[in-house]
Amino acid sequence: MGANSSLLSQDSSDGSTHPAKLKLGDIPESCVALVLLYLDPPDICKLARLNRAFRAASSADFIWDAKLPPNYHHLIDEHLTNTSTNLGKHEIYARLTRPVRFDSGNKEFWLDKRTGGVCLSISSKAFNITGIDDRRYWNFIPTDESRFHTIAYLQQIWWLEVEGDVDFRFPRGTYSLLFKLRLGKFTKRPGRWASNNEGVHGWDIKPVQFQLTASDGQHAVSKCFLENMGCWEYHHVGDFVVDDENASTKIKFSLTQIDCTHTKGGLSVDSVLICPSNLVKDFRALL
């Protein structure tokens, strides 16, 4: 066993030998890194606080290369042009878990900290909304409720039509698209914010229709009645599959209710979320 036997036994004062007590700091850094490779990023970061060996091992490039999306270099080249080329993979992962704004700040993407999945949010300011310039119909309201600090609020209209699109290099996988909506709005009262459902009407007569279309021909349509008052809700539009992560995928989406036999009003429109389908439950749990 040679020199390595000193790790397994030690001489006592009476000449006998006893097993050595190994400490976490005695484990070779390369062995620690191999173990960390199989853990989720939050667990890796927790273990990195144990001691110097774990902290050093947690920064190994091969660990974080496995956590990053395969096309992460495209995301950096297209959206983080000022990022240093000398960053390690751990630093790149950490940077991409923070929201990265693009398209005049009205769209942003980030990596889910636990899974490394790419998520994307699109502000209502980026939508094409029929009547948005007429304050009799729509208003943009500043609020801390939105990650973009602004929502679109519908006063009243006959023809509801909200459209948008995004062109993005999604990693390979299945994605879901959801509209974040709420009936009613919050108004500021002395010392607090209160739900205000005044003006909410017309949503129980006909359902709204959601659509998405991908550049490769994928298409989804869904319909539902808007019912929940006073709380945000993610409405699932449909799913799409990305096979080529090196090519850009263009997604068009819409929310409509164009039955002109009645008016509708009192709708808050925050954003559209696109995320890996296995993360939808996590986002809904946050509302």
Side-chain angles (χ1 to χ4, degrees), residues 2-284:
N4 289 334
S5 64
S6 63
L7 292 174
L8 302 177
S9 64
Q10 61 181 17
D11 293 333
S12 63
S13 59
D14 60 2
S16 61
T17 59
H18 301 284
K21 292 183 178 179
L22 293 177
K23 298 179 181 179
L24 282 175
D26 297 326
I27 303 175
E29 185 181 311
S30 58
C31 294
V32 174
L34 286 173
V35 173
L36 297 181
L37 176 64
Y38 294 95
L39 301 180
D40 289 336
D43 294 328
I44 296 173
C45 295
K46 289 178 183 177
L47 290 175
R49 295 194 289 265
L50 284 176
N51 56 42
R52 290 182 179 178
F54 274 73
R55 184 164 59 251
S58 69
S59 297
D61 272 355
F62 76 90
I63 293 177
W64 297 99
D65 192 49
K67 311 301 180 187
L68 285 164
N71 68 341
Y72 76 90
H73 54 283
H74 286 309
L75 303 181
I76 293 175
D77 291 345
E78 294 174 8
H79 302 290
L80 288 172
T81 54
N82 295 325
T83 300
S84 170
T85 57
N86 297 322
L87 291 180
K89 298 296 178 62
H90 180 206
E91 295 169 301
I92 292 173
Y93 189 93
R95 176 62 190 91
L96 291 177
T97 58
R98 302 195 299 271
V100 179
R101 293 281 176 98
F102 63 104
D103 278 8
S104 302
N106 291 323
K107 300 173 184 176
E108 65 181 28
F109 76 90
W110 67 96
L111 299 188
D112 177 68
K113 290 182 179 180
R114 180 176 59 85
T115 66
V118 172
C119 306
L120 191 148
S121 187
I122 305 164
S123 168
S124 58
K125 295 279 282 186
F127 299 163
N128 296 317
I129 302 176
T130 299
I132 192 64
D133 295 324
D134 192 329
R135 298 193 65 179
R136 293 175 301 170
Y137 305 130
W138 289 91
N139 285 308
F140 282 116
I141 301 177
T143 175
D144 291 335
E145 295 179 275
S146 171
R147 64 191 307 126
F148 296 100
H149 304 293
T150 302
I151 63 171
Y153 181 72
L154 173 63
Q155 306 276 13
Q156 176 174 289
I157 206 165
W158 293 87
W159 183 286
L160 173 67
E161 191 169 28
V162 178
E163 298 178 332
D165 62 69
V166 64
D167 205 344
F168 194 79
R169 290 181 191 259
F170 292 96
R172 187 181 293 109
T174 301
Y175 294 84
S176 296
L177 188 146
L178 307 98
F179 266 92
K180 186 180 178 184
L181 308 173
R182 180 183 64 202
L183 291 180
K185 62 180 177 179
F186 276 77
T187 55
K188 196 168 187 178
R189 303 284 173 82
R192 64 189 180 92
W193 288 88
S195 178
N196 182 350
N197 297 328
E198 294 179 9
V200 177
H201 68 280
W203 306 108
D204 57 346
I205 300 174
K206 291 288 182 66
V208 297
Q209 178 172 284
F210 302 101
Q211 289 193 72
L212 78 79
T213 303
S215 51
D216 62 358
Q218 296 180 75
H219 185 69
V221 179
S222 61
K223 295 181 180 182
C224 75
F225 286 94
L226 303 184
E227 299 174 331
N228 291 341
M229 294 276 193
C231 59
W232 290 108
E233 185 174 3
Y234 280 117
H235 292 270
H236 182 246
V237 178
D239 299 337
F240 62 94
V241 177
V242 175
D243 292 320
D244 186 357
E245 58 203 16
N246 293 313
S248 184
T249 301
K250 186 168 186 177
I251 302 295
K252 295 183 178 180
F253 51 84
S254 66
L255 157 65
T256 57
Q257 215 290 21
I258 54 178
D259 181 349
C260 293
T261 61
H262 66 284
T263 62
K264 38 266 175 187
L267 176 67
S268 294
V269 180
D270 176 31
S271 57
V272 155
L273 169 69
I274 300 176
C275 67
S277 295
N278 63 334
L279 294 180
V280 170
K281 288 184 179 179
D282 294 345
F283 279 101
R284 283 180 165 158

